[in-house]
């Protein structure tokens, strides 16, 4: 297992290699595993070779895209990590067709930056340092979901390497069963080396911000949010909520606001009741992508 399979073009990193600690490091420290080898694949053919190699030797695999899985899905103990992040992280925009071609190891930051240069965007996550692959195959919701659905709703095609080492184009007209499968039924149908995602017209300036409330404000916040929900959200707005610890160690409620438009007045219209909750700390303003 020390040597890579014949004709493998990428980088084959084993525990004795100086890059090994970096190769198995993950965004979440608890997700780190000690792989037998990390295969930094260069193309779909390399993925096929790595899959066959693992099958011949009877060892497990995992696939790393962005490496953001806190559950450890992108790591494996005593197996092979097929890592797309080094050589398969490119992004190409077809502005005329409003499509973006995204390599399987790309991060959302790369997609966002390339797309907005053409006044376009697709549904991404809530932070831009996550991988495209894991979020897309897991369904994926983000700040533009109100207007354009989940990430998987915007996937029009993929290049998939299946367990039989075959490289397949997957869309509504070709391998349609697999296309259906990877759009919501999980990530175990194969290794996606490229996604093709639908793009939508998108302004550079949005209104967004964060608010922090003490735990004692929970009842008031829930009353406001229930009334807001019953009234119906505008498709241009989104709200991300979490419970965490504040700087003093006490529990706090965090809200992230998003309004797909410019202007403080437009952004605050639906949020005045939340922003005015007593003892809240609010930072919200118009943000423009450079």
């Amino acid at each position: 297992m020390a040597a890579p399979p014949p004709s493998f073009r990428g980088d084959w990193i084993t525990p004795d290699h100086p890059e090994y600690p970096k190769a198995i490091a993950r965004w979440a420290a608890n997700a780190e595993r000690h792989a037998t080898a990390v295969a930094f694949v260069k193309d779909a053919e390399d993925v096929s070779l790595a899959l066959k190699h693992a099958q011949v030797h009877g060892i497990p695999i995992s696939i790393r895209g962005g490496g953001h899985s806190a559950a450890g899905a992108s790591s494996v103990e005593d197996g092979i990590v097929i890592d797309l992040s080094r050589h398969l992280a490119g992004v190409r925009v077809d502005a005329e067709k409003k499509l973006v071609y995204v390599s399987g190891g790309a991060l959302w930051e790369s997609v966002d930056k390339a797309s907005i240069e053409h006044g376009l965007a697709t549904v991404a996550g809530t932070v831009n340092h996550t991988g495209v692959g894991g979020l897309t195959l897991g369904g994926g919701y983000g700040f533009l979901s109100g207007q354009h659905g989940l990430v998987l709703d915007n996937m029009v095609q993929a290049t998939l390497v299946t367990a039989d080492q075959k490289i397949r184009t997957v869309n509504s007209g070709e391998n349609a069963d697999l296309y259906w499968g990877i759009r919501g039924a999980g990530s175990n149908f194969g290794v996606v080396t490229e996604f093709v995602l639908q793009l939508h017209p998108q302004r550079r300036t949005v209104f967004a911000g964060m608010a922090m409330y003490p735990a004692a404000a929970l009842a008031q916040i829930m009353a406001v949010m229930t009334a807001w929900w019953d009234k119906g959200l505008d498709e241009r707005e989104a709200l991300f909520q979490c419970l965490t610890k504040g700087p003093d160690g006490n529990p706090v409620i965090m809200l992230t606001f998003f309004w797909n438009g410019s202007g403080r007045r437009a952004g605050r219209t639906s949020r005045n009741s939340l922003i005015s909750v007593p003892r809240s700390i609010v930072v919200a303003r118009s943000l423009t992508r450079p």
Side-chain angles (χ1 to χ4, degrees):
M1 274 300 300
S7 303
F8 185 81
R9 299 174 58 245
D11 309 315
W12 191 266
I13 308 299
T14 51
D16 59 345
H17 195 285
E19 292 183 10
Y20 181 78
K22 184 177 179 180
I24 64 170
R26 294 296 181 265
W27 176 78
N30 64 289
E32 185 175 306
R33 305 286 187 272
H34 295 90
T36 300
V38 178
F40 287 103
V41 293
K42 281 199 170 182
D43 49 32
E45 287 75 15
D46 266 0
V47 173
S48 180
L49 289 170
L51 286 172
K52 183 176 181 179
H53 196 67
Q55 291 175 357
V56 167
H57 289 276
I59 62 173
I61 65 165
S62 67
I63 314 302
R64 182 193 178 185
H68 202 273
S69 169
S74 62
S75 304
V76 64
E77 192 77 22
D78 299 326
I80 296 176
V81 176
I82 299 176
D83 196 316
L84 311 175
S85 66
R86 178 175 291 182
H87 301 299
L88 289 175
V91 174
R92 177 174 63 87
V93 174
D94 185 332
E96 183 177 349
K97 294 182 179 179
K98 292 185 174 62
L99 296 173
V100 59
Y101 295 77
V102 185
S103 296
L107 300 182
W108 283 111
E109 180 181 15
S110 300
V111 179
D112 292 343
K113 287 183 175 179
S115 301
I116 199 61
E117 288 301 314
H118 304 276
L120 300 168
T122 190
V123 179
T126 54
V127 293
N128 66 6
H129 54 84
T130 52
V132 172
L135 186 73
T136 303
L137 297 176
Y141 64 87
F143 293 117
L144 298 181
S145 287
Q147 291 178 277
H148 309 303
L150 298 175
V151 178
L152 60 81
D153 294 320
N154 292 272
M155 182 174 65
V156 299
Q157 182 172 290
T159 301
L160 184 72
V161 185
T162 48
D164 57 3
Q165 300 104 51
K166 291 184 178 180
I167 302 169
R168 306 172 190 270
T169 299
V170 177
N171 55 46
S172 60
E174 187 175 357
N175 295 304
D177 55 342
L178 282 172
Y179 178 61
W180 174 87
I182 64 173
R183 292 174 71 243
S187 58
N188 290 323
F189 290 93
V191 183
V192 180
T193 57
E194 183 182 69
F195 298 90
V196 183
L197 303 173
Q198 188 70 55
L199 292 170
H200 309 275
Q202 176 60 41
R203 63 187 304 132
R204 284 181 177 268
T205 301
V206 300
F207 182 86
M210 298 186 69
M212 182 170 68
Y213 308 89
L218 179 60
Q220 186 176 357
I221 291 172
M222 290 306 300
V224 171
M225 292 185 65
T226 299
W228 184 11
W229 182 264
D230 289 344
K231 181 182 178 182
L233 276 68
D234 189 294
E235 64 177 13
R236 294 170 291 174
E237 61 188 346
L239 184 67
F240 181 74
Q241 314 157 47
C242 70
L243 301 176
T244 185
K245 288 184 178 181
D248 60 359
N250 291 318
V252 295
I253 304 157
M254 297 291 298
L255 301 180
T256 299
F257 303 108
F258 176 84
W259 171 263
N260 195 10
S262 62
R264 190 173 180 84
R265 180 180 178 184
R268 289 176 66 103
T269 300
S270 300
R271 299 164 178 76
N272 282 337
S273 50
L274 282 172
I275 291 174
S276 62
V277 171
R279 299 174 63 195
S280 62
I281 301 173
V282 182
V283 179
R285 61 188 175 90
S286 291
L287 303 173
T288 301
R289 166 68 72 179

